[in-house]
Amino acid sequence: SHAAIKIQPMRQFFSSGHTNNWAVLVCTSRFWFNYRHVANTLSVYRSVKRLGIPDSHIVLMLADDMACNHRNPKPATVFSHKNMELNVYGDDVEVDYRGYEVTVENFLRVLTGRLPPSTPRSKRLLSDDRSNILIYLTGHGGNGFLKFQDSEEISNVELADAFEQMWQKRRYNELLFIIDTCQGASMYERFYSPNLMALASSQVGEDSLSHQPDLAIGVHLMDRYTFYLLEFLEDIHPSSKANMNDLFKVCPKSQCVSTPGHRTDLFLRDPGSALITDFFGSVRKVEITMETINLTEPIHFVNEERQKETYSYVDQLPVSEIIHQKPKQKDWHPPDGFILGLWTLILLVFFKTYGMKHLKHIF
Amino acid sequence: MGLLSDPNRRRALISLLTRLNAPICVVCYMAGVAWFMGLAFEPFTLRTYMSENAMGSTMVEERFPAGERALGTGREFSAHKKKAGGMPVDWLVKTMQSRGLEVFTQRFSRRLPFPDEDKERYMVKGTNVYGILRAPRAPRTEALVLSAPCSPGDDNNQAVGVLLGLAQYFRNQVFWAKDIIFLVNEHDLIGMQAWLEGYHHTNTTGMDWSPLQGRGGSIQAALSLELSSDVVTSLDLVLEGLNGQLPNLDLANLFYAFCQKIGVLCTTQGKLQRNDWDSVSGYSHAVQTMMLMVMKQASGRPWGDHGLFLRYHIEAATIKGINSFRQYKTDATTIGRLLEGMYRKLNNLLERLHQSYFFYLMPSLSHFVSIGYYMPAFGLLALILLLRALDLWIQLATPPPRTEDGVADAEQMSSPGVLSVLTPLVISHLTGVALYTLPIHFQEIAVEHFPVSETEAVVLTAIAVYTAGLALPHNTHRLLTGRGTENGWKVLKLVAVLYLAVLLGCTALINFSLGFILALTLVPVAAFVTPDVPKALSAFIMVILSPACTLLFSVFLFQELQEMPVSFLDGWMLYLSVISQGILDHALYGSLVYPLVALLVYPCWLLFWNILFWK
């Protein structure tokens, strides 16, 4: 009775299941005309830091240095709003992977934890099975791939496999994946690991558009989706109760021109119960109480949503069901050049052996 | 059996080829000319667009404020220029230094092979002055050039003024990633050649120049400014450079994009573009603009100070300010802003301009025709030569159907004699070499014996050698030991036709306009000349279609297209000066038109002349 009254807030207390937050923020493009991708990443970095995730838990990867680029008329700044309203570079940026270190290999190694022993702590994603991770990618992308630095690509299959490796090694509790590129929705199509939620700025076949052309600097400062995301996040504070459903509403088609998409089928909780601060902030749940709570009694939870069966290590979720959920419709394609060539060859051989006189009958 | 190895089929094809050869040739010729004329028709052209991602749109804010001050500087420059009687070196050095540039000078001197009567110079001595604006934070690996010529008299003072004004404004900005070199060159092209040779450590034309003390890295792009009035009504873009080389189309696209953004009237070839492409006058206007570009490109001379940059793979163009009788005038501040915008965009470049076309024709500033579209016009003309060669080959390969004297004809059937082919070849080429070397070498002797100036001596010697070549066939045949066999002229014509095809093909690849114009006149000559055509008439036609007369007609056509038609006498004087300028361009800058015509095209034409008079 006395303990039962106290159980209620404790259920809420442990409802999200994570104890620490990490963020991996990646900008994959270099060159001065891709200023907006760096500004995108730095805006998310700024929000994430403001909401409480410390630099030690943020892996920031920037492929180029816009603040110190020779063409920057305002050196040491990266603006996200024109007329220089908001300098997202600030004076306490900690970039962990910079310039040519931002490669597909390094990104995958960070995610899976397979880094050489000499890698410093600031370059590692030291997450555990109670970490909520935010992964934000931006750059130039296409249907099923994201371009890294003009010379390589990461495909959606590779990304899905990396997340599966993370799941099998218990490197995350829940993972929020946000991508702001052209045709971004193609990047989360292939996910099959549990507890993943994904957002993208545009569907397959659509381009994500840029925003904020600034004539003084001479480039576009932000992309639309991240611009409105930043606006949304500026209203979030550490004790905000906004949930993921609000995040899905960010940047509707009227503002973004492209159609943002999201994927929640792999996420085991209801998205409405997942708070924004579960991923974007590092909220330490501290409640000061003057009363004593007897913890020797076992706490009985009535677990409606949580799975009770024990799974074997590998088999947490019937993977095959997820992968083959939607059988792909195979459209009929006309035979391509190989088959046509093969038939031409067969016909030629036939006429060669049986004589050209047969050809006269046809033509 | 295969199409060509089956004797029946082969005979059918061959008879088709020989029967229809002349009609196919005529059809090809007309198709080639029609294709060329159709290039200016607007639905067949493409709109220009920016191909370089790094340059993007015209998204910059131009803030150049000091147009009036620039004009004041130009007036100061003019006064000092008059006082110094040439380039005011000290004043320029002091002014550039006060604007914060690193200033250097270069002295050069050159003795022309013969006096240049158009520009009135013979012994040229001068100084180039240039100031380098170092990029504030960048390594000194790349540079951009802005140049203005120091012209005698009242020309281009405002250009130098705007250049110095821009230098001062640019010096206060922090966003330059490349060094900017502000160059004022004396004696226009000669000074520019000296500066470029000094910058790139080459010496191709035998000029004397002092080495450059200061450099700025590899030059990515260059603009030359010619401005002779305080206000302009339009800006003209000049693209044609040495040997018909053109800068990357992106440079023209950049200029056009900024002209549209700022609202300045922009032209190319001095002709304003029209919107009524479907009317006859609109189409003929586009044709005139394109023909002007073709003729300027074919002449192989640089039509602005930018023309010499192109051979170093530096994209360059000249912007000329034109002041005509229009109501709407553009002031110097606007011109400064346009240049500022262009340089800010060029500043964003990461590599040399290479995304857009290097070979194109522009019927107007907003439309272009790329090499893939205009080359078939030339291809159709070259096809005529190949068809003719095939025809001759077939004639040479098939034995004559009946012979009168079996034995003698058997002798004839054996090789027509290498000597009968080689002799005309060698003699024609020797005449070509004479045409190339004699005019300059014998100018002193000519001046001694005739009351002409050196320039006239050179030109008239050239014409004399050219005409003397016409008398050759009568002399070559005396050298031939055997009699000209029936097949001898066919072998010579086969060789000559193939030679002409290769020559014109190579020329058209490098300088399409020159190749096409030569093809227009030489291909009919090559196709239809035989010893059997009526001699007097065909001799007359051949002379009309020879390179020299083509040049004469081109001079008159060029003047007509520029809406400054000349009388015959003036045209003739212009023609003589064109010849002398061609020879001078070759000596001073390495233009290849004169050696090409003298050493290759003229001997080829002489071969056909030989065939005409074959006995």
Side-chain angles (χ1 to χ4, degrees):
Chain A
S1 52
H2 195 67
I5 300 169
K6 293 288 181 272
I7 285 169
Q8 285 290 84
M10 268 194 283
R11 188 187 306 145
Q12 254 178 19
F13 204 78
F14 291 117
S15 65
S16 65
H18 75 285
T19 59
N20 57 83
N21 285 83
W22 285 82
V24 178
L25 310 174
V26 184
C27 161
T28 59
S29 34
R30 52 171 43 237
F31 302 138
W32 174 245
F33 53 89
N34 290 322
Y35 184 103
R36 58 189 188 279
H37 296 139
V38 172
N40 288 351
T41 317
L42 285 173
S43 324
V44 177
Y45 171 78
R46 174 206 152 78
S47 310
V48 147
K49 248 175 92 156
R50 192 175 51 81
L51 290 172
I53 304 186
D55 273 314
S56 54
H57 282 224
I58 303 178
V59 177
L60 179 61
M61 303 172 85
L62 295 181
D64 202 357
D65 180 9
M66 295 307 166
C68 298
N69 192 308
H70 311 308
R71 296 169 181 80
N72 194 347
K74 310 277 168 215
T77 60
V78 173
F79 289 106
S80 64
H81 285 61
K82 66 179 175 211
N83 302 323
M84 294 168 284
E85 282 172 32
L86 189 57
N87 173 16
V88 290
Y89 200 65
D91 48 8
D92 57 349
V93 175
E94 270 185 36
V95 182
D96 301 305
Y97 285 83
R98 63 192 66 217
Y100 288 109
E101 291 171 352
V102 178
T103 58
V104 174
E105 179 187 345
N106 281 349
F107 176 59
L108 292 177
R109 282 188 186 279
V110 162
L111 288 183
T112 55
R114 294 205 174 113
L115 288 160
S118 56
T119 318
R121 280 183 75 94
S122 59
K123 286 185 159 168
R124 289 179 186 266
L125 177 67
L126 296 164
S127 55
D128 54 28
D129 64 323
R130 287 273 160 243
S131 309
N132 273 10
I133 307 183
L134 165 72
I135 297 188
Y136 176 81
L137 293 174
T138 183
H140 288 290
N143 191 353
F145 68 92
L146 171 63
K147 185 174 80 149
F148 266 69
Q149 297 237 31
D150 235 19
S151 59
E152 50 181 3
E153 304 160 351
I154 187 172
S155 65
N156 48 3
V157 176
E158 278 180 320
L159 198 58
D161 287 343
F163 288 157
E164 174 64 12
Q165 282 189 56
M166 287 174 80
W167 174 253
Q168 292 189 9
K169 288 165 75 167
R170 291 291 174 274
R171 281 171 65 78
Y172 68 90
N173 174 41
E174 284 166 350
L175 197 145
L176 176 63
F177 175 76
I178 306 184
I179 183 161
D180 188 351
T181 65
C182 302
Q183 309 194 51
S186 62
M187 288 305 281
Y188 61 62
E189 270 172 8
R190 300 291 191 129
F191 290 174
Y192 56 94
S193 317
N195 278 341
L196 295 177
M197 180 153 37
L199 281 108
S201 59
S202 56
Q203 300 293 328
V204 174
E206 285 180 344
D207 286 340
S208 285
L209 300 179
S210 55
H211 202 249
Q212 298 287 312
D214 186 333
L215 263 61
I217 301 184
V219 286
H220 285 282
L221 297 184
M222 282 279 265
D223 279 327
R224 279 176 189 258
Y225 182 75
T226 312
F227 181 79
Y228 290 107
L229 181 68
L230 178 65
E231 249 184 26
F232 172 76
L233 289 174
E234 289 287 300
D235 289 334
I236 306 285
H237 51 86
S239 60
S240 156
K241 292 287 171 228
N243 58 41
M244 283 298 154
N245 285 333
D246 302 323
L247 192 60
F248 298 153
K249 294 202 200 86
V250 162
C251 210
K253 193 168 166 102
S254 56
Q255 281 175 327
C256 253
V257 185
S258 57
T259 319
H262 53 89
R263 179 176 180 179
T264 52
D265 56 315
L266 293 167
F267 199 69
L268 296 175
R269 285 194 290 153
D270 172 31
S273 69
L275 301 178
I276 303 278
T277 49
D278 280 354
F279 293 99
F280 282 88
S282 184
V283 181
R284 300 256 175 264
K285 290 196 173 59
V286 176
E287 207 177 282
I288 315 262
T289 173
M290 306 302 273
E291 298 144 8
T292 53
I293 296 169
N294 186 359
L295 287 175
T296 54
E297 274 182 49
I299 300 169
H300 298 287
F301 284 102
V302 182
N303 253 339
E304 313 93 9
E305 310 110 77
R306 306 197 129 253
Q307 316 271 347
K308 268 292 235 184
E309 313 93 82
T310 48
Y311 293 100
S312 72
Y313 191 73
V314 177
D315 212 22
Q316 283 279 329
L317 208 63
V319 169
S320 48
E321 279 178 25
I322 302 282
I323 289 183
H324 300 303
Q325 255 174 49
K326 294 179 268 261
K328 279 224 156 24
Q329 277 287 64
K330 275 214 146 44
D331 306 313
W332 180 81
H333 293 286
D336 55 7
F338 170 72
I339 299 183
L340 275 173
L342 192 65
W343 275 107
T344 317
L345 190 64
I346 292 173
L347 284 170
L348 277 174
V349 168
F350 170 78
F351 282 118
K352 189 89 173 125
T353 41
Y354 289 103
M356 290 295 266
K357 57 183 192 293
H358 293 275
L359 197 60
K360 268 199 272 265
H361 295 300
I362 297 184
F363 289 110
Chain B
M1 293 184 78
L3 202 61
L4 286 178
S5 48
D6 182 6
N8 285 332
R9 289 235 160 80
R10 204 190 332 179
R11 241 175 281 135
L13 266 177
I14 287 172
S15 73
L16 199 76
L17 201 63
T18 39
R19 253 183 321 121
L20 293 180
N21 205 311
I24 293 182
C25 286
V26 172
V27 166
C28 275
Y29 187 80
M30 307 216 303
V33 174
W35 189 297
F36 181 74
M37 298 305 280
L39 289 174
F41 191 50
E42 202 169 293
F44 296 160
T45 60
L46 293 168
R47 286 202 79 92
T48 54
Y49 55 93
M50 286 299 296
S51 299
E52 173 69 56
N53 210 359
M55 288 214 290
S57 58
T58 54
M59 186 169 51
V60 284
E61 204 178 357
E62 304 94 357
R63 286 202 224 104
F64 178 66
E68 292 307 314
R69 214 178 325 149
L71 292 179
T73 318
R75 283 189 279 272
E76 268 188 61
F77 173 71
S78 156
H80 285 267
K81 187 166 69 169
K82 273 202 205 36
K83 203 164 65 164
M87 175 89 124
V89 176
D90 297 324
W91 178 84
L92 261 179
V93 167
K94 208 160 39 89
T95 319
M96 281 192 184
Q97 271 175 346
S98 73
R99 279 159 170 71
L101 309 178
E102 290 179 19
V103 190
F104 307 94
T105 59
Q106 180 200 29
R107 309 180 68 82
F108 61 91
S109 74
R110 170 84 199 205
R111 194 166 75 95
L112 272 59
F114 53 90
D116 182 352
E117 286 190 347
D118 282 354
K119 299 207 181 81
E120 285 160 18
R121 53 191 183 190
Y122 178 55
M123 262 305 286
V124 172
K125 271 210 237 306
T127 319
N128 292 329
V129 179
Y130 63 104
I132 307 182
L133 188 159
R134 298 289 182 193
R137 293 172 280 147
R140 299 169 179 190
T141 49
E142 293 176 348
L144 298 169
V145 174
L146 177 61
S147 83
C150 169
S151 313
D154 276 331
D155 289 333
N156 289 323
N157 296 326
Q158 285 84 354
V160 175
V162 169
L163 180 133
L164 292 171
L166 279 175
Q168 187 166 30
Y169 177 70
F170 283 179
R171 184 71 178 87
N172 293 331
Q173 312 302 321
V174 296
F175 47 70
W176 296 113
K178 304 183 206 292
D179 293 344
I180 306 189
I181 303 178
F182 294 93
L183 168 68
V184 181
N185 54 320
E186 198 176 359
H187 298 299
D188 50 89
L189 284 167
I190 299 184
M192 187 60 87
Q193 179 72 15
W195 189 82
L196 281 170
E197 284 186 355
Y199 199 89
H200 293 97
H201 307 296
T202 60
N203 198 335
T204 51
T205 57
M207 214 187 285
D208 270 322
W209 36 262
S210 62
L212 296 184
Q213 302 296 319
R215 271 185 108 253
S218 138
I219 303 179
Q220 304 289 299
L223 284 178
S224 176
L225 189 59
E226 287 179 24
L227 192 60
S228 302
S229 54
D230 282 356
V231 288
V232 293
T233 52
S234 62
L235 287 175
D236 192 45
L237 184 71
V238 184
L239 294 169
E240 301 83 12
L242 188 66
N243 289 328
Q245 199 175 353
L246 299 169
N248 198 293
L249 188 59
D250 264 340
L251 201 57
N253 297 338
L254 183 68
F255 176 72
Y256 184 60
F258 270 99
C259 280
Q260 287 203 304
K261 179 186 182 200
I262 294 193
V264 181
L265 216 54
C266 287
T267 61
T268 182
Q269 319 301 336
K271 286 199 183 293
L272 193 57
Q273 85 184 58
R274 290 165 62 142
N275 288 332
D276 53 344
W277 55 264
D278 42 357
S279 70
V280 171
S281 53
Y283 169 69
S284 83
H285 186 88
V287 167
Q288 281 174 36
T289 316
M290 195 178 76
M291 279 308 297
L292 271 172
M293 179 169 183
V294 163
M295 308 204 88
K296 283 189 180 174
Q297 198 186 9
S299 70
R301 63 191 321 234
W303 285 86
D305 286 357
H306 72 286
L308 297 172
F309 281 91
L310 295 170
R311 67 145 65 114
Y312 297 96
H313 202 184
I314 301 170
E315 312 309 327
T318 299
I319 300 180
K320 280 165 54 163
I322 297 184
N323 195 10
S324 64
F325 303 104
R326 257 177 227 280
Q327 235 181 349
Y328 189 72
K329 307 266 188 199
T330 309
D331 63 345
T333 313
T334 319
I335 299 177
R337 289 208 176 148
L338 188 132
L339 288 169
E340 180 198 350
M342 285 183 78
Y343 271 87
R344 272 203 77 173
K345 278 291 150 188
L346 288 172
N347 183 41
N348 283 354
L349 279 180
L350 296 154
E351 8 175 40
R352 286 181 192 276
L353 286 167
H354 68 283
Q355 300 278 6
S356 189
Y357 299 93
F358 286 101
F359 297 97
Y360 51 88
L361 291 175
M362 299 189 84
S364 74
L365 203 52
S366 62
H367 290 267
F368 74 99
V369 179
S370 70
I371 186 171
Y373 283 96
Y374 68 57
M375 222 20 134
F378 176 78
L380 285 167
L381 293 181
L383 189 61
I384 300 175
L385 293 173
L386 294 177
L387 285 174
R388 273 288 169 217
L390 268 176
D391 186 35
L392 282 165
W393 179 261
I394 293 165
Q395 284 179 25
L396 283 171
T398 57
R402 286 185 304 112
T403 60
E404 294 172 11
D405 186 346
V407 175
D409 282 347
E411 274 180 38
Q412 270 190 351
M413 291 276 291
S414 62
S415 83
V418 177
L419 204 60
S420 72
V421 170
L422 209 56
T423 316
L425 262 176
V426 168
I427 295 189
S428 306
H429 281 88
L430 283 178
T431 319
V433 170
L435 182 59
Y436 179 67
T437 51
L438 286 185
I440 298 186
H441 280 210
F442 289 154
Q443 56 174 316
E444 290 113 21
I445 302 178
V447 167
E448 270 176 40
H449 292 288
F450 298 100
V452 288
S453 66
E454 279 103 341
T455 320
E456 286 171 2
V458 169
V459 174
L460 294 174
T461 313
I463 296 182
V465 173
Y466 189 94
T467 327
L470 297 181
L472 271 180
H474 308 290
N475 303 321
T476 27
H477 287 164
R478 259 184 251 139
L479 273 162
L480 280 178
T481 51
R483 64 263 180 272
T485 61
E486 177 56 29
N487 281 350
W489 71 265
K490 284 195 185 159
V491 176
L492 181 61
K493 186 171 177 192
L494 178 63
V495 168
V497 160
L498 289 175
Y499 178 33
L500 185 66
V502 167
L503 181 65
L504 288 179
C506 294
T507 312
L509 278 178
I510 301 173
N511 187 343
F512 164 76
S513 310
L514 184 61
F516 189 76
I517 291 180
L518 287 174
L520 269 182
T521 51
L522 290 176
V523 162
V525 162
F528 289 107
V529 76
T530 62
D532 307 323
V533 293
K535 293 240 191 295
L537 179 66
S538 17
F540 177 68
I541 294 181
M542 267 199 79
V543 170
I544 294 285
L545 291 176
S546 73
C549 285
T550 313
L551 184 59
L552 183 62
F553 294 141
S554 311
V555 165
F556 281 105
L557 181 63
F558 187 68
Q559 291 299 120
E560 277 286 334
L561 286 173
Q562 286 201 313
E563 288 160 24
M564 291 189 298
V566 288
S567 65
F568 183 73
L569 210 58
D570 287 333
W572 176 258
M573 298 308 293
L574 200 58
Y575 173 66
L576 294 182
S577 82
V578 163
I579 296 181
S580 75
Q581 288 296 315
I583 302 177
L584 272 178
D585 279 350
H586 170 60
L588 287 175
Y589 320 121
S591 157
L592 293 173
V593 174
Y594 180 65
L596 180 82
V597 170
L599 293 173
L600 294 172
V601 173
Y602 175 62
C604 202
W605 181 83
L606 271 183
L607 286 176
F608 291 109
W609 185 254
N610 244 312
I611 294 172
L612 180 63
F613 288 101
W614 194 271
K615 277 202 254 303

